[in-house]
Amino acid sequence: AAGSVLTFPGFLSLYQEARDEDAAATDEDRQPLPPLEKGEALDLISLTPEQHFTQPPPRFTEASLVKALEERGVGRPSTYAPTISTLKTRNYVDVESRRLQPTPLGSLVTDLLIEHFPTVVDVDFTAGMEEQLDDIAEGRSERVPVLREFYGPFSKALTAAETQMERVKPAAEATDEVCEKCGRPMVIKFGRFGRFLACTGFPECKNARPIVIKVGALCPKCEAPILQRRTKTKRTFYGCSRYPECDWTSWSRPLEQPCPSCGGLLVESGRERAKCTQCGKIIPISELEPVPEAAAR
């Protein structure tokens, strides 16, 4: 009722009909509870036992990252979008299934910053600086003393890092690919526009090509291999390798295992479930049989 106050959350602490992007990504197929009356007798339709194992917290989505920044007092609404855009543009993160996954380059840069600038990259420092800037804007503090207090220790740390921080690059990742020009192995390297395949014979052989990632499943429209691709905004999606002749795409990662009910294509639906694109059946991923390497599609 209007004007009512919630005194105890009860089941609302676990269940809400209004879900944010993060919850929808993991629970998009679950139906809301029907209208219920106090004392109503309910019939048990089915009982499905499931075994759950302790898992690490899920990676941030853009929405859940913004929510975490707001809770910690880091940034302002006008800075959230540029912050996430910078992480993508500089290849510090990849977007997979709507979640921000750190790249090897992002992990390397983070480790170096924590080692040489531990106070600056600390979340509490950033939140505290936001408060100091607000005090300056509202006339409660003077700009010069605040800057002097920050820049004195920072200048010393910067000078030390210039002499002590080693210049490193992300290690090249070995692959099973072979250079079609010289026959040497190909490795994955980082460039201005992200990861790419390069010949280990460089500089004698300068052969390079973009990375093509096959997910092991076949297109449900034409049975060509499905590839992992990225949009211009670096968001991951999956599409048929025969594009533009075949326009099949999906935001959800396809699985190698076929649907046990109809043989259709399964795609991830949350962290622990799969959904058939043909019959719509929801199946726990733990119940799917592993695909032997020799029989992988």
Side-chain angles (χ1 to χ4, degrees), residues 16 57 66 120 190 271:
Q16 294 182 6
V66 169
V120 176
F190 270 87
R271 301 180 70 192

Side-chain angles (χ1 to χ4, degrees), residues 20 60-73 80:
D20 61 13
F60 285 117
T61 63
E62 293 187 17
S64 62
L65 177 58
V66 169
K67 183 178 180 180
L69 293 174
E70 290 177 338
E71 291 175 349
R72 301 297 295 269
Y80 295 145

